Amino acid sequence: MTADLPEPFVIRERHHRVHNPFTEEKLAVLGRAIRLRPGDRLLDLASGSGEMLCTWARDHGVTGTGVDISTAFLATARDRAAELGVADRVTFVHGDAAGHVAPDPVDVAACVGATWIGGGVAGTIALLERSLRPGGLVLIGEPFWRKDPPDQATLEGCHATKKEDFADLPGLVALFGELGWDLVEMVLADEDSWDRYVAAQWLTVREWLDANPDDVLAGEMRAELDRAPLDYVRYLRPYLGWGVFALRRR
């Protein structure tokens, strides 16, 4: 049986349409930037609540498949597809995105913010390429260091265990070239899009705590809310960048 996301993750992001530090406006910019065409086929691994596929199907006439392990987020994605009138153009599959390969080659293969499915950037790009038609685009969403983390507390505040968990932006761009890919577009998060991703979780968690004071997870979520805002403004917001990078094989 396919696993599901841990419940705390679903609790804190259950109202999110985009499960990354990317606003809906930046998602729209990305769709325009990569010059999507009607009829393009997309594969989105770890597709979350499906906002990318649904809005791009509406705005650009693409078709696509999203794969995710969260039953809650997949239900949201299917509702969103119906709301936008694109349920006939997008499909959402409950499954482990790690190792998933499309049955037919796609024009765009994406993993936006979940490169752990391939064991890191290089492995995830290799996985996506298995579904990609010759000349197609890979989309990778990945963090990078904006500044060198000075200590272990900063690393942990940025959800890292060691500095090498992420590259800086030049290092990440260099890695794409070393792997044999041209970087042909990118759209980067800014502090506002980080706020919309992270700060929005605090109100969601607080509302959940108010409604579920006796839940078995209440203590864990209360402790998280006690520390999360200060950790965010002290560590993650100033030190960690994030972006989506469009790649084409050389």
Side-chain angles (χ1 to χ4, degrees):
M1 184 175 179
T2 302
D4 211 321
L5 272 183
E7 190 174 356
F9 191 97
V10 176
I11 289 171
R12 74 175 69 95
E13 296 196 21
R14 70 187 189 279
H15 295 312
H16 281 50
R17 285 184 173 171
V18 181
H19 300 280
N20 289 297
F22 228 40
T23 61
E24 294 166 36
E25 292 78 12
K26 284 187 178 288
L27 199 60
V29 169
L30 178 64
R32 295 191 297 269
I34 63 173
R35 303 173 191 172
L36 293 168
R37 298 166 297 181
D40 278 352
R41 293 164 298 177
L42 277 65
L43 174 67
D44 187 9
L45 297 184
S47 55
S49 294
E51 188 72 2
M52 185 171 79
L53 283 178
C54 290
T55 56
W56 287 2
R58 177 196 63 191
D59 297 340
H60 301 283
V62 304
T63 63
T65 299
V67 181
D68 203 272
I69 65 170
S70 172
T71 52
F73 294 160
L74 286 170
T76 299
R78 294 178 181 123
D79 288 346
R80 184 66 166 153
E83 176 189 353
L84 298 183
V86 296
D88 60 333
R89 282 181 266 164
V90 294
T91 302
F92 294 100
V93 176
H94 183 223
D96 187 351
H100 183 96
V101 178
D104 299 301
V106 299
D107 300 288
V108 180
C111 178
V112 178
T115 56
W116 57 82
I117 69 169
V121 171
T124 301
I125 290 174
L127 170 61
L128 293 171
E129 189 175 19
R130 294 171 62 191
S131 297
L132 194 67
R133 68 163 177 81
L137 285 180
V138 158
L139 296 181
I140 286 285
E142 181 70 5
F144 56 86
W145 293 118
R146 295 178 62 190
K147 299 189 295 185
D148 278 346
D151 50 33
Q152 188 64 28
T154 304
L155 290 171
E156 292 174 4
C158 294
H159 309 294
T161 57
K162 57 187 183 300
K163 179 182 174 182
E164 292 73 23
D165 286 349
F166 309 127
D168 60 12
L169 186 55
L172 185 57
V173 172
L175 175 61
F176 298 145
E178 292 163 7
L179 295 172
W181 296 80
D182 286 327
L183 175 62
V184 296
E185 255 295 1
M186 68 181 190
V187 179
L188 302 185
D190 55 26
E191 290 181 337
D192 178 66
S193 48
W194 267 114
D195 293 346
R196 291 302 86 240
Y197 174 53
V198 179
Q201 298 173 22
W202 308 333
L203 179 57
T204 300
V205 170
R206 177 53 197 268
E207 289 179 341
W208 182 89
L209 283 167
D210 290 345
N212 300 276
D214 300 319
D215 192 275
V216 66
L217 290 173
E220 175 183 342
M221 302 309 292
R222 178 67 256 177
E224 176 181 308
L225 186 57
D226 286 347
R227 68 176 184 274
L230 183 56
D231 280 353
Y232 171 63
V233 299
R234 178 180 282 163
Y235 302 124
L236 194 151
R237 196 177 195 264
Y239 283 94
L240 200 64
W242 193 88
V244 182
F245 304 88
L247 312 174
R248 180 165 281 156
R249 172 62 82 178
R250 289 177 178 167

